[in-house]
Amino acid sequence: MPSDPVGFEKHDHGACISEAMATAEAHCRAKGLRFTPVRRKALGLLLQAHRAIGAYEMLDRLRDAGFGSQPPVAYRALDFLVANGFAHKIERLNAFIACAHPGASHSPAFMICRICESVAEAHSSPARGALGEAARATGFRIEQTVVEAEGICPACVDKADT
Amino acid sequence: MPSDPVGFEKHDHGACISEAMATAEAHCRAKGLRFTPVRRKALGLLLQAHRAIGAYEMLDRLRDAGFGSQPPVAYRALDFLVANGFAHKIERLNAFIACAHPGASHSPAFMICRICESVAEAHSSPARGALGEAARATGFRIEQTVVEAEGICPACVDKADT
DNA sequence: CAGCACTTGTCATGTTATTTCATTTCTTGT
DNA sequence: ACAAGAAATGAAATAACATGACAAGTGCTG
């Protein structure tokens, strides 16, 4: 099980998909959540894509798979996945990506390549760092954080420098 | 000149507006940028509001002020302000806010109150912290960061606890 | 098996953002 | 001063992202 903080490396994608699905399955069983076909399919599509997917792209694929064709179909499935930590929303892209560390409650941080649009997930520590300091100094109670870096991924840096 | 990292405190709002406008004015003069009426008005409106403003709310006000009524009017003005560091986009809100530290090149971080929707700006240090570490470890080249915390501001915490 | 909570499908609408092109304004080089 | 080029504006159209509301179906629970 890859628990490293980033995701630009190559890996056994098939295995990572089945693992993530199994984790979600188990989590839902444990929590009494209904991992319905449309939700399962949505997570599968996110994992398969291995990149950030817009809600309407998701909708297209769900429709192709025989599910409903109206936006709420996609948004509801994605909301479920996000709410339960199986996926994250990338605010910068208005898009969604499968969680790289499902199960673990965490504050994700993302690195977004502006060339190839790949996205890697890392952990952030809201409490530490400048933001946590500012929050403590002012009495702000942090509930959730969005941390996204835009730039160039290793592969594209190599290409650009060549 | 308030250079403290946060913005939940009371302050002389009139003075802070004129200062910010003057700073922008000077910056544009120095860089040969055209600080046109619509851009000036947009910045004034952001400063006046002292909160995050959606593009269409900005558009309404610009139209009321006699400018064009089509979305690009607002988006172009806002893009100019953001590009030149006079304003920031809050991704979480799809809204824009005047920069609290204009002139200084910086990586802003924001604290967003989910009760009263106030927004405070702090500095972040992308290079340090978990994100910078992950970037160095993988070879990701950070160009820009989005750091936004959602939670409860001091004033609303007090209210909630009462 | 009745009642309830939850999920799904669909229609309708609301919100945010961009593309395109013609026109005007400003700046620059001569 | 003036022509050429760059930048900004106005306006129309459209694209992309997201939610509200309601009826019908599903599965659990008493």
Side-chain angles (χ1 to χ4, degrees):
Chain A
M1 177 170 64
S3 66
D4 59 306
V6 291
F8 290 127
E9 317 80 17
K10 298 248 181 282
H11 62 288
D12 183 341
H13 199 45
C16 104
I17 292 177
S18 358
E19 264 177 43
M21 290 296 294
T23 301
E25 200 89 48
H27 184 85
C28 286
R29 196 172 309 263
K31 299 261 184 177
L33 300 168
R34 290 162 66 178
F35 199 38
T36 60
V38 65
R39 293 168 174 175
R40 185 186 314 268
K41 183 66 183 177
L43 179 55
L45 288 168
L46 281 185
L47 289 164
Q48 200 80 50
H50 202 251
R51 61 183 180 83
I53 298 288
Y56 278 69
E57 189 176 346
M58 175 61 73
L59 179 57
D60 285 345
R61 300 187 184 198
L62 289 175
R63 187 190 48 238
D64 291 350
F67 296 97
S69 62
Q70 299 301 314
V73 170
Y75 281 101
R76 288 195 285 231
L78 290 166
D79 285 351
F80 173 85
L81 297 177
V82 169
N84 293 287
F86 305 141
H88 300 291
K89 179 170 187 184
I90 310 294
E91 297 288 345
R92 188 63 184 263
L93 304 177
N94 293 320
F96 301 82
I97 193 166
C99 177
H101 312 285
S105 150
H106 57 274
S107 303
F110 300 96
M111 292 177 281
I112 306 163
C113 178
R114 69 169 162 80
I115 309 287
C116 70
E117 299 196 309
S118 66
V119 176
E121 181 179 345
H123 293 288
S124 76
S125 317
R128 287 193 290 282
L131 190 57
E133 246 170 73
R136 273 190 301 281
T138 53
F140 184 87
R141 183 184 298 167
I142 295 177
E143 292 176 342
Q144 208 172 43
T145 56
V146 173
V147 178
E148 299 171 5
E150 194 167 26
I152 310 186
C153 76
C156 289
V157 164
D158 289 348
K159 274 182 254 163
D161 288 353
T162 312
Chain B
M1 178 168 62
S3 66
D4 60 306
V6 291
F8 290 127
E9 317 81 17
K10 298 249 181 282
H11 63 287
D12 182 341
H13 200 45
C16 103
I17 292 177
S18 359
E19 263 177 43
M21 291 295 295
T23 301
E25 201 88 50
H27 184 85
C28 287
R29 196 173 308 265
K31 299 260 184 176
L33 300 168
R34 290 162 65 179
F35 199 39
T36 60
V38 66
R39 292 168 175 176
R40 184 185 315 266
K41 183 68 183 176
L43 179 55
L45 288 168
L46 281 184
L47 288 164
Q48 200 81 48
H50 202 252
R51 61 184 180 83
I53 298 288
Y56 279 72
E57 187 177 347
M58 174 62 73
L59 179 57
D60 285 345
R61 301 188 185 197
L62 289 175
R63 187 190 50 237
D64 292 349
F67 297 97
S69 62
Q70 299 300 313
V73 169
Y75 281 102
R76 287 195 285 232
L78 289 166
D79 285 351
F80 173 86
L81 297 177
V82 169
N84 293 287
F86 305 141
H88 301 291
K89 180 169 186 182
I90 310 294
E91 296 289 345
R92 188 63 182 264
L93 304 177
N94 293 319
F96 301 82
I97 193 166
C99 177
H101 312 285
S105 149
H106 57 275
S107 302
F110 300 96
M111 292 177 280
I112 305 163
C113 179
R114 71 170 161 80
I115 309 286
C116 69
E117 299 196 307
S118 65
V119 176
E121 180 179 347
H123 293 288
S124 76
S125 317
R128 288 192 289 282
L131 189 58
E133 244 171 74
R136 272 190 302 279
T138 53
F140 184 87
R141 184 184 297 167
I142 294 177
E143 293 176 342
Q144 208 171 43
T145 56
V146 173
V147 178
E148 299 171 5
E150 193 166 26
I152 309 185
C153 76
C156 289
V157 165
D158 289 349
K159 272 181 255 163
D161 288 353
T162 312

